């Protein structure tokens, strides 16, 4: 999941942030009074940039811990994982990093377990699906920070004009898409299988047919019969009849699909809380519902929603354990975590912050995402090979619905690369 969580890609360099903060990683190796923090940019421009939040938080931390300070380095989401990896390889790891995956560093023995740096209460406070995803061999290493679940969004105005009904099954989704196409909607169903975040869209569809990336034992099962059936159905019933838009799915990125939805050019797509907020701000009337299930499953089974989280991790360094622990316990206080989640219309990762979140109180619709998150299935981020595997999926899964493709062959090729990556780890 080495990607930014929810659609707010921005060139931090354009904000003038990286240049002013990049010196943060120059702290001496033996300095136990300065914590080096690396975080990604969640904002979309100067007014929504993450710097203001971290400035406020680190100032408050320094005031509460005299003699201690935090130096922050901000990177764009596209760069943060690569930059942290580079720092680790150069034996210059930060004390704490926030990014899209953690298990490769945990497998190398570089991370503190949560129990080594957090209070018992703080460690026990994480929402269960997120804590499970952050756990390797019974030990919590990945500290979930903010999260989301995915629901199907539909444009109510376009549905009303087309006489379409909100779908509960794949066949109903196809019927709605056909009705929308007759009304001239450019993207009856937006299918973003481009390299930005194709692995998210793919998982949503796989889960809706009883599939997924892994089997019950946790091993990769990308080319399962359910998954092959899923992409075959998408290809034959949505892509072939041109119900997915003028842009081929393999070339459509999530951010572009979201922008088209906000313009009123999309009838349906999968989204998360921040998109709902943006749509309402633009006057788009949006309906939300769980992802429709395959007709094979029907009403007999309710598959989990797809869930996504970003992860904090604490790197081991001589003498830094106490400082890291103080900072992490401070970050995960309800007020601090809720403020960040509310700023970007995401979901906080802890039970108490979820209950106390000002965002949840201000926007009752967030409850539907919270409900979905409680039973959601996340990426297999506890597998050290997931970084490599997710990149393979992002680059290749769109090929499974290409006109001349055999979905099973494409999935088998991805599965083989996943098995090779797993063996290397």
């Amino acid at each position: 999941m080495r990607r930014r969580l929810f659609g707010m890609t921005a060139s931090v360099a354009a904000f003038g942030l990286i240049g002013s903060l990049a010196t943060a990683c120059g702290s001496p190796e033996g300095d136990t009074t300065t914590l080096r923090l690396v975080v990604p940019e969640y904002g979309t421009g100067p007014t929504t940039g993450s710097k203001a939040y971290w400035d406020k938080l680190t100032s408050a931390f320094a005031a509460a811990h005299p003699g201690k300070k935090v130096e922050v380095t901000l990177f764009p989401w596209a760069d943060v994982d690569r930059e942290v990896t580079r720092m680790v390889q150069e034996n210059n790891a930060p004390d704490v990093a926030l990014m899209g995956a953690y298990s490769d560093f945990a497998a190398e023995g570089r991370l503190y377990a949560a129990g080594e740096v957090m209070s018992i209460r703080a460690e026990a406070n994480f929402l269960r699906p997120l804590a499970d995803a952050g756990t390797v061999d019974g030990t919590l290493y990945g500290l979930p920070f903010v999260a989301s679940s995915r629901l199907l969004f539909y444009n109510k105005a376009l549905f009303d004009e087309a006489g379409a009904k909100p779908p509960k099954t794949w066949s109903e989704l196809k019927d709605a898409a056909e009705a929308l196409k007759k009304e001239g909607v450019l993207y009856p169903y937006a299918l973003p299988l481009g390299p930005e975040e194709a692995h998210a869209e793919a998982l949503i569809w796989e889960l809706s047919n009883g599939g997924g990336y892994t089997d019950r034992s946790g091993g990769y099962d990308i080319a399962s019969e359910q998954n092959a059936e899923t992409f075959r159905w998408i290809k034959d019933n949505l892509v072939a009849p041109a119900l997915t838009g003028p842009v081929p799915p393999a070339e459509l990125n999530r951010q572009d699909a979201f922008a088209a939805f906000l313009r009123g050019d999309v009838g349906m797509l999968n989204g998360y809380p921040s998109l709902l907020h943006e749509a309402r701000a633009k006057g788009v009337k949006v309906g939300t519902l769980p992802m429709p299930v395959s007709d094979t499953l029907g009403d007999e089974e309710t598959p989990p929603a797809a869930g996504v989280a970003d992860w904090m991790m604490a790197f081991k360094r001589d003498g830094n354990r106490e400082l890291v622990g103080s900072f992490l316990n401070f970050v995960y206080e309800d007020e601090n975590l809720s403020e960040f989640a509310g700023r970007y219309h995401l979901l906080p990762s802890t039970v108490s912050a979820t209950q106390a979140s000002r965002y949840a109180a201000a926007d009752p619709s967030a409850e539907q995402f919270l409900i979905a998150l409680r039973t959601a299935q996340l990426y297999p981020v506890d597998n050290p090979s997931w970084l490599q595997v997710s990149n393979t999926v992002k680059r290749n899964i769109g090929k499974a619905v290409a006109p001349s493709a055999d979905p099973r062959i494409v999935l088998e090729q991805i599965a083989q690369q996943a098995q090779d990556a797993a063996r290397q780890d």
Side-chain angles (χ1 to χ4, degrees):
M1 200 174 14
R2 291 295 177 92
R3 43 103 203 90
R4 54 160 235 352
L5 181 53
F6 307 112
M8 291 164 285
T9 300
S11 174
V12 182
F15 304 167
L17 297 183
I18 289 182
S20 63
L21 297 175
T23 58
C25 289
S27 302
E29 180 69 21
D31 186 357
T32 58
T33 63
T34 300
L35 183 140
R36 296 163 53 211
L37 172 68
V38 174
V39 293
E41 174 57 63
Y42 282 73
T44 57
T47 59
T48 61
S50 300
K51 182 178 184 296
Y53 170 84
W54 294 112
D55 281 350
K56 178 181 177 182
L57 180 105
T58 55
S59 294
F61 175 79
H65 299 81
K68 309 294 184 182
K69 65 178 180 178
V70 181
E71 292 183 343
V72 184
T73 303
L74 273 162
F75 288 112
W77 263 110
D79 300 336
V80 65
D81 292 348
R82 181 179 65 251
E83 290 297 326
V84 172
T85 299
R86 176 186 59 78
M87 294 175 192
V88 171
Q89 291 172 343
E90 295 175 353
N91 198 31
N92 190 34
D95 295 290
V96 177
L98 173 61
M99 47 202 293
Y102 68 89
S103 57
D104 44 355
F105 297 126
E108 295 170 354
R110 298 181 181 274
L111 303 182
Y112 286 114
E116 296 179 282
V117 290
M118 301 188 78
S119 69
I120 295 174
R121 180 180 179 182
E123 182 181 3
N125 196 25
F126 291 115
L127 293 169
R128 179 48 48 195
L130 304 181
D132 289 345
T135 297
V136 178
D137 295 331
T139 301
L140 181 65
Y141 292 100
L143 311 179
F145 185 60
V146 286
S148 184
S149 56
R150 303 297 173 91
L151 296 174
L152 185 75
F153 286 34
Y154 64 95
N155 184 311
K156 287 185 174 181
L158 296 180
F159 264 61
D160 289 344
E161 292 171 6
K165 297 180 180 180
K168 295 182 179 180
T169 64
W170 285 1
S171 60
E172 291 177 359
L173 186 149
K174 179 183 179 182
D175 291 343
E178 289 174 338
L180 291 163
K181 184 179 180 181
K182 290 180 180 178
E183 289 297 315
V185 176
L186 286 178
Y187 297 86
Y189 178 86
L191 183 67
L193 293 178
E196 180 188 350
E197 206 193 30
H199 59 318
E201 183 71 14
L203 179 60
I204 293 166
W205 277 94
E206 290 166 357
L207 292 174
S208 70
N209 192 34
Y213 288 126
T214 58
D215 57 24
R216 293 181 181 275
S217 68
Y220 290 121
D221 195 22
I222 294 173
S224 68
E225 180 57 39
Q226 295 100 316
N227 291 349
E229 180 183 83
T230 295
F231 286 96
R232 191 177 302 114
W233 189 92
I234 295 171
K235 175 188 172 184
D236 294 342
N237 292 276
L238 295 181
V239 179
L243 299 177
T244 57
V247 178
E251 299 176 16
L252 180 64
N253 279 320
R254 186 270 319 278
Q255 191 67 8
D256 295 329
F258 282 10
F261 183 77
L262 296 175
R263 292 195 304 268
D265 292 336
V266 173
M268 297 174 280
L269 86 173
N270 285 299
Y272 43 69
S274 59
L275 177 63
L276 182 59
H277 174 80
E278 290 182 73
R280 287 177 173 171
K282 290 182 176 293
V284 180
K285 295 182 178 179
V286 181
T288 58
L289 69 161
M291 176 65 188
V293 300
S294 71
D295 294 84
T296 302
L297 293 182
D299 297 329
E300 299 178 2
E301 184 178 347
T302 302
V308 182
D310 290 333
W311 308 93
M312 275 202 172
M313 64 206 76
F315 286 91
K316 294 179 179 179
R317 181 165 60 81
D318 288 345
N320 76 337
R321 178 174 165 180
E322 182 180 354
L323 178 60
V324 166
S326 297
F327 179 72
L328 289 174
N329 284 296
F330 185 80
V331 167
Y332 282 96
E333 289 180 6
D334 289 347
E335 180 180 359
N336 296 329
L337 185 59
S338 295
E339 182 175 345
F340 189 92
R343 181 181 180 88
Y344 296 109
H345 305 283
L346 304 174
L347 306 178
S349 60
T350 65
V351 175
S352 59
T354 295
Q355 295 170 344
S357 173
R358 293 197 303 271
Y359 166 52
D363 186 357
S365 69
E367 182 65 20
Q368 61 192 315
F369 293 97
L370 291 169
I371 291 172
L373 184 62
R374 292 183 187 125
T375 57
Q377 181 168 322
L378 281 75
Y379 305 123
V381 289
D382 58 337
N383 191 320
S385 64
W386 173 244
L387 168 61
Q388 184 175 344
V389 172
S390 64
N391 286 335
T392 299
V393 172
K394 286 187 285 188
R395 293 194 309 269
N396 295 286
I397 197 68
K399 300 174 184 176
V401 297
S404 60
D406 182 334
R408 176 173 290 282
I409 292 176
V410 174
L411 292 179
E412 288 176 346
Q413 291 171 342
I414 296 173
Q416 183 59 58
Q417 293 182 61
Q419 293 301 326
D420 292 344
R423 281 193 292 270
Q424 292 173 8
D425 286 308

